[in-house]
Amino acid sequence: MNSTIAVPKTKNFFRMLFAYTGPGALVAVGYMDPGNWAASINGGQSFNFLLISTILISSLMAMLLQYMSAKLGIVTQMDLAQAIRARTSKRLSFILWIVIELAIMATDVAEVIGAAIALNLLFKIPLVIATFITIFDVFLLLLLSKVGFRKIEALISCLIMVILFVFAYQVMLAEPNWSKIFLSVFPSPELVAQHPVVNGLSPLTGSLGIIGATVMPHNFYLHSSICQTRKINHHDPDDVKNAVRFTTWDSNIQLILAFFVNVLLLIMGAAVFKSGAVKDSSFFGLYDALSNTAMLSNPILISVAKTGILSVLFAIALLASGQNSTITGTLTSQIVMEGFIHLKMPLWARRLFTRLLSVIPVIICVVMTANDTISQQHFALNMLLENSQVFLAFAVPFSIVPLLIMTDDKRMMGQFKNRRSWSVLGWISSIILIFLNLYNLPATFVSFNIMPKQDAKIFAYAIIVLIILLLAWTCWDMEKSKIRH
């Protein structure tokens, strides 16, 4: 798909921006996927609008790192997986491929759960059957691959607008205090306070959760590849400079939309529902809350909720988000497989293989809880979704650290090497993100309840040590090895 989309030779800013618009939408999907919904809504329920500034900070981090990712792809004509493979040994590349694949499969589990629940809520399809139906989205992707990459970009953009519209409509009905929302954009010392503790969260832990869950490691592999779909003259520095400039504009605009979606979700928690009313933050719980007039905050919402439209729109947004994530997850899987281990596989086989792997734990969870109460079934699915995300913590360091090392390298990037200020901000962001993801691992392993609490903590710390050692090996290889052609 590289160099398949022509770019007009014009100095008209808006024509050029339109030509480069699209890849950013696929990247933005990862910042508004179903895995982020509960964190934002819980933040609003617990601390009103306070954590909006946290969403802003995490969005700015994402913009900076995605800019570097796109720049790497455009300048070197390699995606992140290919670039890492070129500067590491074959053995290390294989290990890193496994780590990234686990992260992609973890996001795929969330997509399966989100899509299956949406089908269950909208059409009353039993969860087991709904889960099997999600396997057939492979045919949707096959169809899209035949009509061209530009059409995929357009579909993703339309689905993002559906999600944005749904939550904007619900928030407008809630009539929130817009002046308080605007003031909450500016960070305050309360963000890092450990009190008050509401529903088990303090402002600090709420902020850590939002920042830690925002940046998806597979997005950097995806962005560094799909930004190469535009046809440019790589021998002309001005042409390359223009490509970097407009790709960055596209990425930032789409990430601003993702920022607004996450803010709307937080405002939903704060303004749509009565304070503290939502005890079940699973998709089932939120769907029920939007049709339960006792949980809603004002008469307008209550009158609309009686029609059932609020809960139906929520399920539609969930289905749109799941399909978006499915498409981008498939593309990323193909990119990392070809980049790290040079293994090519037909798109349909790749999609079917990863989707089947993701469906198996969901099917097991649904079958094992079939005789339990409805609330226990919902809780089990929610825990599976949350626990699958632990694999993202493994992959974050091996995405952003190599990205920074290579975009700081003048030998690779030439005149497009990171400016000192961007480099410093990038390393600060990376250290924060890596720390937050690893910091939460012990508590996550304890929550699995598969071993005694102390053993779970020891196991988690052992995993953290392994991650740090593997990261050190990666940095050593990348600094010492010359690019292999």
Side-chain angles (χ1 to χ4, degrees):
M1 65 186 181
N2 288 3
S3 301
T4 56
I5 300 174
V7 177
K9 299 295 181 183
T10 177
K11 292 186 177 180
N12 185 292
F13 175 86
F14 293 103
R15 282 191 64 196
M16 289 292 286
L17 180 60
F18 179 75
Y20 280 96
T21 294
L26 277 73
V27 170
V29 165
Y31 294 93
M32 60 178 90
D33 74 337
N36 291 333
W37 290 20
S40 295
I41 291 175
N42 281 342
Q45 273 279 285
S46 302
F47 308 111
N48 213 2
F49 307 125
L50 175 66
L51 301 186
I52 288 177
S53 53
T54 301
I55 297 175
L56 176 62
I57 292 168
S58 59
S59 297
L60 292 174
M61 287 181 179
M63 287 179 186
L64 175 61
L65 294 171
Q66 293 296 164
Y67 152 71
M68 292 179 181
S69 172
K71 185 171 65 170
L72 176 74
I74 293 168
V75 173
T76 67
Q77 300 181 66
M78 293 187 288
D79 59 57
L80 182 57
Q82 292 169 332
I84 294 174
R85 176 68 182 89
R87 294 192 55 169
T88 56
S89 64
K90 189 175 181 180
R91 182 181 299 174
L92 178 57
S93 292
F94 184 81
I95 294 171
L96 294 178
W97 171 63
I98 296 295
V99 171
I100 302 303
E101 282 289 355
L102 287 173
I104 293 170
M105 289 178 188
T107 59
D108 215 28
V109 167
E111 292 153 18
V112 169
I113 292 174
I117 290 175
L119 291 171
N120 174 263
L121 294 174
L122 287 170
F123 307 111
K124 309 305 178 189
I125 299 172
L127 277 171
V128 173
I129 297 173
T131 303
F132 276 113
I133 289 174
T134 65
I135 296 172
F136 293 100
D137 64 19
V138 60
F139 299 113
L140 170 65
L141 197 66
L142 283 173
L143 175 64
L144 290 172
S145 65
K146 300 295 183 184
V147 298
F149 196 75
R150 197 71 167 145
K151 303 294 192 304
I152 295 177
E153 294 173 347
L155 174 64
I156 293 289
S157 298
C158 289
L159 290 174
I160 288 174
M161 295 312 295
V162 168
I163 298 167
L164 186 64
F165 165 77
V166 167
F167 295 131
Y169 172 69
Q170 296 188 351
V171 165
M172 283 191 297
L173 291 178
E175 298 179 337
N177 187 324
W178 293 106
S179 61
K180 283 187 177 180
I181 291 171
F182 177 75
L183 291 173
S184 297
V185 171
F186 303 99
S188 71
E190 294 175 11
L191 283 178
V192 293
Q194 296 188 348
H195 297 284
V197 176
V198 183
N199 296 327
L201 288 177
S202 68
L204 176 61
T205 53
S207 293
L208 295 180
I210 287 175
I211 294 176
T214 296
V215 176
M216 294 290 181
H218 63 277
N219 261 347
F220 304 118
Y221 295 91
L222 176 67
H223 202 187
S224 60
S225 178
I226 60 176
C227 68
Q228 299 179 54
T229 54
R230 272 52 183 178
K231 190 175 182 179
I232 64 172
N233 179 8
H234 285 91
H235 299 293
D236 181 355
D238 289 335
D239 217 18
V240 176
K241 188 176 181 179
N242 262 337
V244 172
R245 178 192 175 199
F246 285 102
T247 300
T248 304
W249 268 101
D250 168 47
S251 173
N252 288 346
I253 289 170
Q254 302 289 354
L255 288 175
I256 288 170
L257 287 178
F259 163 75
F260 281 120
V261 168
N262 286 314
V263 168
L264 288 170
L265 283 163
L266 188 140
I267 296 172
M268 272 186 66
V272 171
F273 305 109
K274 290 178 181 177
S275 180
V278 180
K279 302 299 181 186
D280 179 3
S281 61
S282 69
F283 298 134
F284 290 107
L286 294 170
Y287 178 87
D288 291 338
L290 285 168
S291 57
N292 186 342
T293 55
M295 289 191 177
L296 300 175
S297 63
N298 70 35
I300 298 175
L301 280 167
I302 290 170
S303 63
V304 176
K306 288 177 180 177
T307 67
I309 190 66
L310 293 182
S311 51
V312 169
L313 286 174
F314 175 83
I316 290 171
L318 180 59
L319 187 60
S321 180
Q323 289 308 304
N324 263 351
S325 299
T326 289
I327 293 168
T328 56
T330 302
L331 291 172
T332 310
S333 294
Q334 196 77 0
I335 289 162
V336 299
M337 179 180 279
E338 292 179 9
F340 277 119
I341 60 173
H342 299 168
L343 176 63
K344 293 182 182 287
M345 206 172 171
L347 193 61
W348 67 268
R350 176 65 193 159
R351 176 68 258 167
L352 198 57
F353 176 70
T354 53
R355 181 42 61 99
L356 283 171
L357 285 178
S358 305
V359 160
I360 289 168
V362 182
I363 291 291
I364 291 172
C365 180
V366 171
V367 171
M368 286 181 65
T369 59
N371 296 324
D372 295 341
T373 64
I374 296 295
S375 60
Q376 287 173 323
Q377 291 177 33
H378 295 176
F379 177 77
L381 274 176
N382 201 48
M383 287 302 295
L384 175 61
L385 188 151
E386 291 180 6
N387 293 338
S388 69
Q389 304 303 293
V390 71
F391 292 109
L392 299 178
F394 301 163
V396 165
F398 307 104
S399 303
I400 54 182
V401 170
L403 175 63
L404 280 158
I405 289 174
M406 288 187 286
T407 52
D408 279 347
D409 186 353
K410 191 167 186 178
R411 181 180 56 179
M412 286 189 73
M413 303 299 294
Q415 63 175 301
F416 297 98
K417 172 183 177 290
N418 291 335
R419 294 179 184 175
R420 178 62 61 86
S421 56
W422 293 134
S423 179
V424 170
L425 288 172
W427 281 107
I428 291 172
S429 300
S430 299
I431 291 167
I432 291 171
L433 289 166
I434 292 170
F435 171 77
L436 293 180
N437 278 277
L438 297 185
Y439 176 80
N440 287 324
L441 273 186
T444 304
F445 275 80
V446 168
S447 71
F448 289 168
N449 288 324
I450 57 176
M451 61 179 77
K453 184 176 179 180
Q454 194 60 34
D455 292 347
K457 285 186 176 181
I458 292 171
F459 184 69
Y461 288 125
I463 294 291
I464 290 172
V465 170
L466 283 175
I467 290 172
I468 292 171
L469 290 174
L470 184 57
L471 185 60
W473 181 13
T474 303
C475 293
W476 174 265
D477 252 25
M478 295 190 69
E479 287 296 333
K480 296 298 180 181
S481 301
K482 292 181 178 179
I483 298 179
R484 300 184 184 93
H485 295 283

